Amino acid sequence: MGGAILPGPMPSLWDVHTAEQTLARLNRLDPGSVPRWGRFTAPAMLCHLGDALRQAVGDVQVPPVRDSPYRGAIVRWLAIHVLPIPRGRLDAPPFMLVTQPSSWELDLFALKELVHRGVARAADPAAPWPDNVLFGPLSAHDWGVLQWRHCDHHLRQFNA
């Protein structure tokens, strides 16, 4: 009788099927794809997703944000699994804006390789995962959900 209904489990980018679906959506983009909101161009968005994935797979060490409001277990869970990502209202952290577009094909290939690396890392239960800059320690599953939601957000931004 009434009450809030929580969403079902969120997909993880580290799930092979979800990764393949996400890669297929990336393949529908081209350098001239126009965003529905925000300031990213399609090439800049690919690089942005790659920068985020580099932190997830441990290629980039980012110091944690001091006094992050997302460190509590409930707030962290809500932010990763439930709350929508705002459209065009958040500025990306500087570490997620490092890579500049080069060639579409090379940037797309690099992004796909990072997805595959995340899938492979998650398949190893002994693989360590880095702390997240905002959320602190995350499991492989939480990293996969966060990365899928981030990719999905930007793919929706470009109608893919």
Side-chain angles (χ1 to χ4, degrees), residues 1-149:
M1 293 198 160
I5 298 174
L6 291 175
M10 282 286 168
S12 167
L13 190 58
W14 309 152
D15 170 73
V16 173
H17 180 70
T18 301
E20 291 305 319
Q21 287 179 329
T22 303
L23 296 176
R25 290 170 69 191
L26 284 166
N27 285 332
R28 291 196 291 264
L29 295 172
D30 65 57
S33 295
V34 178
R36 294 169 41 210
W37 71 82
R39 298 181 299 247
F40 276 131
T41 62
M45 182 269 296
L46 285 187
C47 292
H48 168 69
L49 291 177
D51 287 341
L53 280 161
R54 281 182 194 87
Q55 199 223 345
V57 299
D59 287 357
V60 176
Q61 300 301 316
V62 181
V65 171
R66 290 182 171 264
D67 303 320
S68 171
Y70 302 106
R71 295 285 169 141
I74 293 172
V75 173
R76 178 177 55 225
W77 184 81
L78 287 171
I80 292 171
H81 296 271
V82 178
L83 299 174
I85 298 173
R87 292 181 176 183
R89 293 192 189 125
L90 295 177
D91 287 332
F95 80 90
M96 291 173 62
L97 299 170
V98 172
T99 305
Q100 296 301 308
S102 59
S103 84
W104 179 260
E105 293 77 21
L106 289 176
D107 293 339
L108 183 58
F109 178 80
L111 181 57
K112 289 177 178 181
E113 286 299 306
L114 286 162
V115 171
H116 289 296
R117 285 181 54 209
V119 170
R121 186 183 193 121
D124 176 2
W129 290 87
D131 287 356
N132 180 277
V133 64
L134 292 176
F135 302 115
L138 294 182
S139 67
H141 177 72
D142 284 344
W143 267 116
V145 169
L146 182 61
Q147 292 305 308
W148 177 81
R149 290 193 68 212

